[in-house]
Amino acid sequence: MTFKLSISAVTILLFLSSATSGSAWQDSFITLSSEVRRVFGAAHPAVVRVRARQDSAETVGSGFFIDRVGTVVTLAELVGQAREIQVESKTGTLPAVLVGQDGRSGLAILRTRPTQPTPFLRFASGSEAVPGSFLVGVGYPFNLSASPIVALVLGMDRQFQDRLFCVSHLRVDVTVSPGELGAPLLNSKGLVVGVITMVVNEGKWAYALPGRAAERVIADVRQYGRVRYAWAGVGVARVSNDPGGSAVVITRLFPNSSATASGLQEGDRLERINGKPVHHLADVVDASFYAPVGRPMTILVSRDGKTKAFSLLAGERPLDSPGETPGASPVTAETSRTRSSGEAPVQKVMRAGPN
C-alpha cells in the first residue's frame, strides 16, 4: 500500500532524516508507514464514496458512516438538491436520502437502509487536533478505491481571504484529489478530528471542520432537522493596542435580543464567554458556536477597571438577523476583508473527474 505525503510532511521527514542516523531514520519511516496502514486499515471500511445526481449533472465526493444503521456524513455542497444519491462502500452500493444539511458548516446527513450493520467511525470527543499533529485522511480519489493520505495540522483559522467560517477550522497541509472532499481526518486512535470541507491552492492544502463542531451539527440535524444556531444579539470588534488587556470589545447590542436587557454595555471589554478566555474575535465566534439555544450564556467583561459578570439567554438566530450570511455567527464579528489579486484561489468544485 502506498500513501500520499504533503510537501510539508516530506520536508519534516527529510529534516528528521538529516538529524538522525541512517538506521534511526529508516526505523522512523517504517514506524510512520505502519501507523498509517494501521489507521487506514481500521477506518477505510467505514468511509464511502457519495454520488449525487441532479438531471444530467453528477457530483462525486467522500463521506463516512457514523453508526451501525447506515447514517452517513458528507458535504452539503455535494448533495445539494440532488434527486438521486448513492453511497458506495467496500460492501456494495446503497441508495440514500437526505436527512438534513447545514449551509454554514457545510455538512449533510444521509440515511441508508443497509441489510446488515455498517462499520462506522467515532468522533474524538473532548480531544482536538493541534498545530503540528499528523493526521490520516481516508477518501475516494477520482474513480479509484479508498486511499490514505497523511495530513499535517498547520493551524486554526476563523477566516480565509473573504470567506468567514461559522467556527474556527483546521488548516491542514494535505494533498486533496478530486473526490476526496468530505473525507474524514483521523488521529492515531482512529477517531475523527475533522472533515475536509474546502481545498485551496489547487488542492495542495485544505480546511477541515473540527470533529467537535461536526458532532454539534449532527446532533442538531438529527433532533431538529436543522442546526439551531444561538443568537445573543451582541456585536463585537477587535481593538488594536488595547491597554486594558482584551482585544475585543462590544460595539452594539441589537434590538429585540436578550442582550439589550442583560446589563451589557457598548464599550465593555470581553474577558470570558462560558468560561473560555477571549483574546481574539475567533474566541468569541467559537464560544458562541457551541452555546446551546435556550440556555444561559455567562459573559465576563471589563468595565472601568472592574470585572463584571452577566448572564443572558441564548435564543435561536433569526433568519433575518443583522449580518446574516452563510458564514454568519451567533455573535456578530464586525470585520470585513477583501481578497487581493495575489491571494491563492479557493476551490469549490465538487466533481471527481472521470467516474
Side-chain angles (χ1 to χ4, degrees):
M1 183 194 71
T2 60
F3 55 88
K4 296 182 293 184
L5 287 173
S6 65
I7 293 176
S8 290
V10 171
T11 301
I12 291 173
L13 290 174
L14 289 175
F15 172 79
L16 290 175
S17 69
S18 66
T20 58
S21 65
S23 59
W25 154 246
Q26 186 177 23
D27 290 343
S28 297
F29 191 81
I30 291 174
T31 299
L32 174 61
S33 298
S34 176
E35 284 294 287
V36 173
R37 286 196 299 269
R38 180 182 60 81
V39 174
F40 172 75
H44 92 271
V47 179
V48 302
R49 172 183 280 124
V50 179
R51 294 184 185 273
R53 181 172 293 277
Q54 177 68 33
D55 299 326
S56 60
E58 182 182 67
T59 53
V60 184
S62 297
F64 55 99
F65 291 119
I66 58 171
D67 56 32
R68 295 186 181 278
V69 296
T71 305
V72 173
V73 170
T74 187
L75 295 192
E77 284 189 67
L78 170 62
V79 296
Q81 303 299 318
R83 295 182 179 180
E84 179 184 351
I85 305 173
Q86 289 188 330
V87 169
E88 301 174 6
S89 69
K90 188 178 179 181
T91 57
T93 301
L94 294 170
V97 295
L98 180 65
V99 174
Q101 57 184 315
D102 178 54
R104 291 195 183 104
S105 65
L107 292 191
I109 313 299
L110 308 178
R111 182 176 64 249
T112 65
R113 297 190 180 278
T115 57
Q116 57 187 4
T118 53
F120 65 96
L121 300 179
R122 301 181 186 274
F123 287 90
S125 301
S127 177
E128 299 182 7
V130 296
S133 302
F134 276 105
L135 305 177
V136 177
V138 184
Y140 279 86
F142 298 99
N143 62 339
L144 306 174
S145 59
S147 302
I149 50 179
V150 175
L152 176 66
V153 180
L154 302 178
M156 294 285 289
D157 296 334
R158 155 63 180 152
Q159 178 176 350
F160 177 73
Q161 296 178 10
D162 58 352
R163 176 165 178 170
L164 296 173
F165 301 131
C166 61
V167 68
S168 292
H169 278 43
L170 294 170
R171 175 166 33 96
V172 290
D173 185 31
V174 57
T175 301
V176 179
S177 299
E180 291 181 324
L181 281 169
L185 293 175
L186 311 151
N187 62 17
S188 62
K189 297 180 180 179
L191 302 175
V192 178
V193 294
V195 182
I196 298 175
T197 58
M198 185 178 86
V199 295
V200 298
N201 195 20
E202 299 180 350
K204 295 177 183 177
W205 52 287
Y207 279 105
L209 182 73
R212 181 188 173 201
E215 283 190 289
R216 181 256 193 274
V217 170
I218 292 166
D220 266 19
V221 170
R222 281 177 148 175
Q223 185 171 357
Y224 306 108
R226 70 185 192 284
V227 180
R228 301 176 71 208
Y229 284 96
W231 172 238
V234 177
V236 298
R238 180 179 176 83
V239 176
S240 300
N241 301 320
D242 179 18
S246 174
V248 181
V249 300
I250 294 175
T251 56
R252 56 174 168 166
L253 306 176
F254 291 105
N256 303 318
S257 72
S258 57
T260 56
S262 66
L264 291 169
Q265 296 180 6
E266 294 180 7
D268 285 345
R269 290 172 167 80
L270 286 171
E271 300 293 339
R272 289 179 177 270
I273 298 178
N274 288 340
K276 301 292 184 180
V278 174
H279 302 293
H280 310 281
L281 288 173
D283 298 328
V284 180
V285 174
D286 291 350
S288 57
F289 175 88
Y290 295 106
V293 173
R295 296 186 184 179
M297 293 178 65
T298 302
I299 299 178
L300 266 63
V301 302
S302 175
R303 182 191 300 169
D304 298 328
K306 299 180 180 180
T307 299
K308 296 180 178 290
F310 299 92
S311 179
L312 55 86
L313 195 65
E316 183 172 359
R317 186 180 182 91
L319 294 178
D320 59 349
S321 57
E324 180 70 20
T325 68
S329 64
V331 175
T332 302
E334 299 185 327
T335 61
S336 62
R337 184 176 184 272
T338 58
R339 174 179 164 188
S340 66
S341 59
E343 292 176 326
V346 178
Q347 290 181 261
K348 299 181 182 179
V349 179
M350 304 299 300
R351 299 183 184 85
N355 286 278

